[in-house]
Amino acid sequence: HERNTCPYCNRNYIFVVNKEGNKLRPEIDHFFPKSIYPFLAISFYNLIPSCLPCNHVKKDKDSFSDNLISPYEINFYDFKFTCRLVNINFSLIGKYNENRFKIVLNKNRNVIKNDEYFKLELLYEQHKDIVADLLLKKLIYPISYIKELKKNFAFTDDEIYRFLFCNYLKDEDLHKKPLSKFIKDISEDIGLLKII
Protein backbone atom coordinates (compact mmCIF):
# COMPACT_ATOMS: atom_id res chain seq x y z
CA HIS A 1 0.00 0.00 0.00
CA GLU A 2 0.97 3.59 -0.45
CA ARG A 3 3.17 5.01 2.29
CA ASN A 4 3.49 8.69 3.10
CA THR A 5 5.65 8.64 6.22
CA CYS A 6 8.98 7.13 7.13
CA PRO A 7 8.56 3.52 8.30
CA TYR A 8 11.64 3.84 10.52
CA CYS A 9 10.48 6.80 12.61
CA ASN A 10 6.95 7.89 11.54
CA ARG A 11 8.08 11.47 12.30
CA ASN A 12 8.56 12.76 8.75
CA TYR A 13 7.12 12.48 5.28
CA ILE A 14 9.28 10.49 2.86
CA PHE A 15 9.12 12.88 -0.09
CA VAL A 16 11.95 15.06 -1.38
CA VAL A 17 12.06 17.33 -4.42
CA ASN A 18 14.05 16.08 -7.41
CA LYS A 19 17.14 17.95 -8.69
CA GLU A 20 15.11 19.84 -11.27
CA GLY A 21 12.77 21.03 -8.53
CA ASN A 22 9.59 20.06 -10.34
CA LYS A 23 8.65 16.62 -8.94
CA LEU A 24 8.41 14.82 -5.63
CA ARG A 25 10.04 11.47 -5.15
CA PRO A 26 10.55 9.27 -2.10
CA GLU A 27 13.92 9.09 -0.38
CA ILE A 28 15.02 5.44 -0.68
CA ASP A 29 17.13 3.50 1.82
CA HIS A 30 18.81 0.21 1.02
CA PHE A 31 17.95 -1.80 4.12
CA PHE A 32 20.91 -4.06 3.48
CA PRO A 33 23.49 -1.48 2.33
CA LYS A 34 24.56 -1.76 -1.28
CA SER A 35 28.16 -1.12 -0.20
CA ILE A 36 28.12 -4.41 1.75
CA TYR A 37 25.47 -6.38 -0.16
CA PRO A 38 25.71 -5.18 -3.79
CA PHE A 39 23.69 -8.15 -5.05
CA LEU A 40 20.66 -6.74 -3.15
CA ALA A 41 21.07 -3.20 -4.48
CA ILE A 42 18.11 -3.36 -6.85
CA SER A 43 15.97 -5.88 -4.99
CA PHE A 44 12.52 -4.35 -4.55
CA TYR A 45 12.27 -5.83 -1.03
CA ASN A 46 15.52 -4.17 0.02
CA LEU A 47 14.35 -0.66 -0.91
CA ILE A 48 12.72 1.20 1.96
CA PRO A 49 11.14 4.60 1.38
CA SER A 50 12.40 6.67 4.30
CA CYS A 51 12.89 10.22 5.45
CA LEU A 52 16.19 11.94 4.81
CA PRO A 53 17.31 11.97 8.50
CA CYS A 54 16.70 8.23 8.98
CA ASN A 55 18.38 7.38 5.68
CA HIS A 56 21.37 9.47 6.73
CA VAL A 57 21.55 7.91 10.21
CA LYS A 58 21.37 4.37 8.90
CA LYS A 59 23.59 4.96 5.88
CA ASP A 60 26.04 2.05 5.42
CA LYS A 61 25.62 0.38 8.81
CA ASP A 62 25.41 -3.39 8.48
CA SER A 63 21.78 -3.98 9.35
CA PHE A 64 22.20 -7.74 8.95
CA SER A 65 25.04 -8.23 11.43
CA ASP A 66 23.46 -5.64 13.76
CA ASN A 67 20.16 -7.58 13.76
CA LEU A 68 18.15 -4.55 12.73
CA ILE A 69 14.54 -5.46 12.05
CA SER A 70 13.09 -4.27 8.76
CA PRO A 71 10.22 -1.83 9.28
CA TYR A 72 8.08 -4.19 7.22
CA GLU A 73 8.66 -6.95 9.79
CA ILE A 74 7.80 -4.79 12.79
CA ASN A 75 4.21 -4.68 13.88
CA PHE A 76 2.57 -1.96 15.93
CA TYR A 77 2.61 -4.11 19.06
CA ASP A 78 6.41 -4.44 19.13
CA PHE A 79 6.66 -0.97 20.65
CA LYS A 80 4.35 1.48 22.37
CA PHE A 81 4.73 5.07 23.53
CA THR A 82 3.54 6.04 27.00
CA CYS A 83 3.88 9.10 29.16
CA ARG A 84 4.89 9.03 32.80
CA LEU A 85 4.33 11.77 35.33
CA VAL A 86 7.65 12.85 36.86
CA ASN A 87 6.61 15.98 38.75
CA ILE A 88 3.61 15.87 41.07
CA ASN A 89 3.52 19.53 42.00
CA PHE A 90 -0.02 20.34 43.12
CA SER A 91 0.43 24.01 42.22
CA LEU A 92 0.65 22.89 38.56
CA ILE A 93 -2.72 21.08 38.50
CA GLY A 94 -4.63 22.21 35.44
CA LYS A 95 -1.45 23.55 33.85
CA TYR A 96 0.08 21.09 31.41
CA ASN A 97 3.69 22.03 31.88
CA GLU A 98 5.84 19.84 29.64
CA ASN A 99 8.33 19.22 32.47
CA ARG A 100 5.71 17.27 34.38
CA PHE A 101 5.97 14.12 32.28
CA LYS A 102 8.42 11.95 30.38
CA ILE A 103 7.79 10.10 27.15
CA VAL A 104 8.76 6.44 27.32
CA LEU A 105 9.15 4.00 24.43
CA ASN A 106 8.26 0.51 25.64
CA LYS A 107 9.73 -2.00 23.23
CA ASN A 108 10.17 -5.73 23.03
CA ARG A 109 13.67 -7.13 22.62
CA ASN A 110 13.26 -7.61 18.86
CA VAL A 111 13.25 -3.88 18.18
CA ILE A 112 15.83 -2.64 20.68
CA LYS A 113 18.40 -2.29 17.90
CA ASN A 114 15.98 -0.14 15.90
CA ASP A 115 15.75 2.29 18.81
CA GLU A 116 19.54 2.29 19.14
CA TYR A 117 19.93 3.08 15.42
CA PHE A 118 17.33 5.81 15.14
CA LYS A 119 17.24 7.14 18.75
CA LEU A 120 13.45 7.05 18.66
CA GLU A 121 12.86 7.55 22.37
CA LEU A 122 15.20 10.55 22.41
CA LEU A 123 13.58 12.03 19.29
CA TYR A 124 10.05 11.55 20.55
CA GLU A 125 10.93 13.18 23.86
CA GLN A 126 10.91 16.40 21.79
CA HIS A 127 7.15 16.02 21.21
CA LYS A 128 5.95 16.72 24.74
CA ASP A 129 3.86 19.58 23.40
CA ILE A 130 1.67 17.04 21.60
CA VAL A 131 1.19 15.09 24.83
CA ALA A 132 0.23 18.33 26.60
CA ASP A 133 -2.30 19.06 23.83
CA LEU A 134 -3.79 15.56 24.15
CA LEU A 135 -4.10 15.93 27.93
CA LEU A 136 -5.88 19.23 27.42
CA LYS A 137 -8.22 17.72 24.82
CA LYS A 138 -9.12 15.02 27.32
CA LEU A 139 -10.45 17.78 29.57
CA ILE A 140 -12.12 19.78 26.81
CA TYR A 141 -14.04 16.96 25.09
CA PRO A 142 -16.26 15.17 27.61
CA ILE A 143 -18.19 12.03 26.74
CA SER A 144 -21.37 14.13 26.35
CA TYR A 145 -19.72 16.07 23.50
CA ILE A 146 -18.73 12.83 21.74
CA LYS A 147 -22.29 11.51 22.11
CA GLU A 148 -23.63 14.71 20.53
CA LEU A 149 -21.29 14.29 17.54
CA LYS A 150 -22.49 10.73 17.06
CA LYS A 151 -26.16 11.63 17.50
CA ASN A 152 -26.37 14.90 15.56
CA PHE A 153 -23.86 14.26 12.80
CA ALA A 154 -23.83 10.44 12.62
CA PHE A 155 -20.02 10.46 12.82
CA THR A 156 -18.28 7.12 13.16
CA ASP A 157 -15.65 6.62 15.87
CA ASP A 158 -12.93 6.93 13.24
CA GLU A 159 -14.38 10.20 11.93
CA ILE A 160 -14.67 11.63 15.45
CA TYR A 161 -11.09 10.69 16.22
CA ARG A 162 -9.85 12.32 13.00
CA PHE A 163 -11.95 15.43 13.61
CA LEU A 164 -10.89 15.93 17.24
CA PHE A 165 -7.31 14.70 17.18
CA CYS A 166 -6.27 15.11 13.53
CA ASN A 167 -5.11 11.54 13.46
CA TYR A 168 -6.01 8.08 12.21
CA LEU A 169 -7.56 5.48 14.48
CA LYS A 170 -7.02 2.32 12.44
CA ASP A 171 -3.56 0.71 12.55
CA GLU A 172 -3.53 0.23 8.78
CA ASP A 173 -3.77 4.02 8.31
CA LEU A 174 -1.02 5.09 10.72
CA HIS A 175 1.54 5.35 7.90
CA LYS A 176 -0.39 8.18 6.28
CA LYS A 177 0.54 10.98 8.67
CA PRO A 178 3.64 11.79 10.75
CA LEU A 179 3.46 11.03 14.49
CA SER A 180 0.23 9.07 14.09
CA LYS A 181 1.46 5.97 15.99
CA PHE A 182 2.75 8.21 18.76
CA ILE A 183 -0.53 10.16 19.02
CA LYS A 184 -2.60 6.97 19.06
CA ASP A 185 -0.41 5.31 21.70
CA ILE A 186 -0.46 8.36 23.98
CA SER A 187 -4.22 8.75 23.44
CA GLU A 188 -4.70 5.16 24.60
CA ASP A 189 -2.27 5.59 27.48
CA ILE A 190 -4.04 8.63 28.95
CA GLY A 191 -7.51 7.14 28.43
CA LEU A 192 -8.51 9.53 25.67
CA LEU A 193 -9.77 6.76 23.39
CA LYS A 194 -12.20 5.60 26.07
CA ILE A 195 -14.36 8.66 25.42
CA ILE A 196 -14.89 7.70 21.77
Side-chain angles (χ1 to χ4, degrees), residues 144-159:
S144 59
Y145 180 70
I146 305 302
K147 287 180 181 176
E148 288 296 318
L149 288 174
K150 287 182 180 183
K151 179 183 170 188
N152 295 333
F153 298 100
F155 283 170
T156 66
D157 289 347
D158 191 51
E159 290 169 331

Side-chain angles (χ1 to χ4, degrees), residues 31-33 36-37 58 61-68 117:
F31 183 74
F32 298 109
I36 302 170
Y37 306 98
K58 189 176 157 296
K61 293 179 183 173
D62 190 350
S63 47
F64 178 74
S65 65
D66 288 343
N67 293 317
L68 187 71
Y117 259 61

Side-chain angles (χ1 to χ4, degrees), residues 33-90:
K34 58 186 175 184
S35 61
I36 302 170
Y37 306 98
F39 50 92
L40 293 174
I42 58 171
S43 169
F44 177 76
Y45 298 103
N46 191 43
L47 303 176
I48 310 284
S50 65
C51 67
L52 192 61
C54 285
N55 195 6
H56 179 74
V57 164
K58 189 176 157 296
K59 215 169 182 174
D60 288 333
K61 293 179 183 173
D62 190 350
S63 47
F64 178 74
S65 65
D66 288 343
N67 293 317
L68 187 71
I69 305 294
S70 166
Y72 298 132
E73 294 175 31
I74 294 174
N75 71 50
F76 287 117
Y77 306 103
D78 285 335
F79 63 96
K80 189 169 185 84
F81 293 99
T82 59
C83 76
R84 296 291 172 253
L85 222 58
V86 293
N87 181 354
I88 307 174
N89 181 342
F90 291 104

Side-chain angles (χ1 to χ4, degrees), residues 3-7 9-13 76 79-81 124 127 130 134 158 161-162 165-188 193:
R3 178 171 293 277
N4 295 333
T5 62
C6 178
C9 71
N10 187 235
R11 291 179 68 241
N12 302 299
Y13 287 107
F76 287 117
F79 63 96
K80 189 169 185 84
F81 293 99
Y124 274 92
H127 297 294
I130 292 173
L134 290 171
D158 191 51
Y161 185 74
R162 287 196 58 201
F165 310 115
C166 301
N167 196 35
Y168 292 95
L169 186 59
K170 297 176 184 171
D171 288 346
E172 62 266 20
D173 293 330
L174 295 180
H175 67 278
K176 293 179 179 179
K177 189 173 187 181
L179 305 172
S180 55
K181 167 78 166 119
F182 173 70
I183 292 169
K184 184 177 180 193
D185 285 354
I186 297 296
S187 297
E188 286 177 354
L193 292 185

